[in-house]
Amino acid sequence: MHILLVNPRGFCAGVNRAVQILELAVARYSDKTIFAYHEIVHNSYVVNHFATQGVRFVFSLNDVPNHSVIMFSAHGVSPQIFDEAVKKSLKVIDATCPLVSRVHQAVKNYVEKGYHLIYIGHAGHDEVVGTVGEAPQKITVISSEQEARNLKYQRTPNNLSYKDLQLACLMQTTLSITQTQQIVNILREQFPNIEIPERNICYATKNRQEAVQILAKKSDMALVIGSANSSNSRRLCEIAEQQGIVSRLIDGVDEIDPHWFSGKETLLITAGASAPEYVVQSCLAHLCSMFEVSVEEIVVCEENVVFPLPNDWI
Ligand code: SF4
């Protein structure tokens, strides 16, 4: 079997930064329990790694004692969570990806200017909850073409008609580029004056998706390494499937089933933006131990983005 190892894959700059900040925090506060609000990134290996170092992952600040150290994940949190942390006198370590912060800022700017926002994203995802929390009454979340079409006949949370409003559209950073474009086209058709800024979906999502789209054409199966709750990993699977090949999302080596590869000649391997490279390498080593394989790494685009650490962590 021939393996096409996709490059770029795995950790993006935002995940790298969040993981580095938590590593430094574990060292700096070695005498304290560090609490992390939600998963630092959506990957079970990363979460388990920090859990074994004593980091406690919580889903509510009620589970965090006053005056503790709390880490906010790469997905960001709503202003309400920041306020709650202040009330509890928590020491906040904010690892929100700068590209997610940029969307929060865009929400604030538009709302200040009187816009209502259509936000394309998966309701309930940590990033969506955090962003929508900036202005819940001024944001409508949609996730499909049908929901975009329906807006014409619906009213906002403040009971206003969308047609009568100044609208702008923002979106979750890890969506499928092609599916989102279809939703955007419908919004433009229905609301010709809607403002849609460029650079909504992040560079890492775009690069990983485009690479899979290109290389899936040369493959007959895709193995995507990433956790089931990782939005960008799931999108990579979908994109491979859209190119007509079988696609499997695996958290790690234990989930590999040798039967999957029967009759397969070219296997594409990639990893979502929160999947560590050592998991990719262990999967490769496992495949090499089971089958006769040749591995070819293909660089579809160079990726050199680095987000600096916040000043107090340098
Ligand atoms: S996927 Fe994009 S938005 Fe999300 S953490 Fe990575 S760089 Fe930031």
Side-chain angles (χ1 to χ4, degrees):
M1 187 164 62
H2 188 55
I3 292 179
L4 298 181
L5 186 57
V6 183
N7 187 333
R9 62 174 181 278
F11 274 17
C12 59
V15 166
N16 242 326
R17 179 177 177 271
V19 167
Q20 274 182 57
I21 295 173
L22 190 48
E23 296 277 10
L24 292 169
V26 168
R28 185 180 290 183
Y29 297 105
S30 56
D31 55 336
K32 293 191 169 141
T33 300
I34 296 177
F35 292 83
Y37 182 71
H38 293 177
E39 294 189 340
I40 169 80
V41 298
H42 283 157
N43 185 272
S44 63
Y45 283 82
V46 176
V47 170
N48 291 341
H49 162 75
F50 284 113
T52 58
Q53 297 194 29
V55 175
R56 278 196 46 202
F57 291 90
V58 295
F59 292 91
S60 162
L61 292 192
N62 292 335
D63 298 329
V64 181
N66 290 358
H67 306 286
S68 302
V69 178
I70 183 82
M71 168 104 184
F72 292 151
S73 79
H75 302 110
V77 298
S78 67
Q80 295 80 357
I81 296 296
F82 264 106
D83 291 348
E84 239 183 276
V86 170
K87 278 189 203 131
K88 297 191 72 151
S89 305
L90 302 180
K91 162 75 190 157
V92 171
I93 304 169
D94 183 11
T96 305
C97 173
L99 300 185
V100 175
S101 300
R102 186 174 72 186
V103 183
H104 282 239
Q105 191 54 50
V107 169
K108 288 192 263 192
N109 294 347
Y110 275 120
V111 168
E112 236 176 70
K113 289 191 227 157
Y115 282 72
H116 184 88
L117 290 158
I118 309 297
Y119 181 91
I120 308 173
H122 302 291
H125 186 281
D126 293 345
E127 182 185 332
V128 179
V129 173
T131 308
V132 173
E134 292 287 351
Q137 293 301 309
K138 297 288 177 77
I139 302 182
T140 303
V141 179
I142 61 167
S143 62
S144 67
E145 293 171 45
Q146 192 53 51
E147 284 174 333
R149 279 193 200 96
N150 291 347
L151 284 176
K152 217 172 173 175
Y153 312 103
Q154 292 171 342
R155 300 184 81 79
T156 69
N158 288 336
N159 200 26
L160 299 165
S161 162
Y162 289 97
K163 285 178 285 180
D164 301 335
L165 292 167
Q166 257 192 316
L167 294 176
C169 171
L170 295 171
M171 58 197 73
Q172 195 178 336
T173 54
T174 51
L175 298 179
S176 151
I177 291 175
T178 44
Q179 276 172 9
T180 307
Q181 191 54 51
Q182 285 157 6
I183 298 176
V184 162
N185 292 345
I186 292 167
L187 289 174
R188 283 198 201 281
E189 254 170 55
Q190 312 218 74
F191 310 108
N193 295 328
I194 191 167
E195 269 190 43
I196 308 180
E198 292 290 317
R199 298 189 306 144
N200 257 309
I201 291 176
C202 87
Y203 82 93
T205 301
K206 180 173 169 287
N207 290 349
R208 280 153 191 68
Q209 289 183 9
E210 285 177 355
V212 167
Q213 202 159 16
I214 292 166
L215 295 180
K217 294 187 174 82
K218 301 178 177 178
S219 316
D220 44 21
M221 181 177 172
L223 201 56
V224 178
I225 296 160
S227 291
N229 60 345
S230 159
S231 168
N232 76 88
S233 303
R234 289 170 61 167
R235 301 295 83 78
L236 294 178
C237 270
E238 288 168 8
I239 286 163
E241 278 162 10
Q242 282 156 12
Q243 300 302 316
I245 62 172
V246 180
S247 173
R248 304 274 180 184
L249 176 65
I250 55 164
D251 217 1
V253 67
D254 298 341
E255 292 176 14
I256 291 178
D257 179 344
H259 296 107
W260 292 342
F261 310 101
S262 157
K264 300 288 185 276
E265 286 176 5
T266 308
L267 173 67
L268 175 158
I269 296 186
T270 189
S274 45
E277 181 61 15
Y278 69 82
V279 181
V280 176
Q281 292 303 325
S282 66
C283 291
L284 264 180
H286 187 62
L287 288 168
C288 291
S289 72
M290 283 192 299
F291 306 107
E292 201 169 305
V293 297
S294 52
V295 181
E296 182 185 6
E297 178 156 17
I298 300 192
V299 181
V300 177
C301 81
E302 296 285 348
E303 206 174 74
N304 305 311
V305 180
V306 177
F307 294 143
L309 294 175
N311 282 340
D312 48 340
W313 292 99
I314 294 171

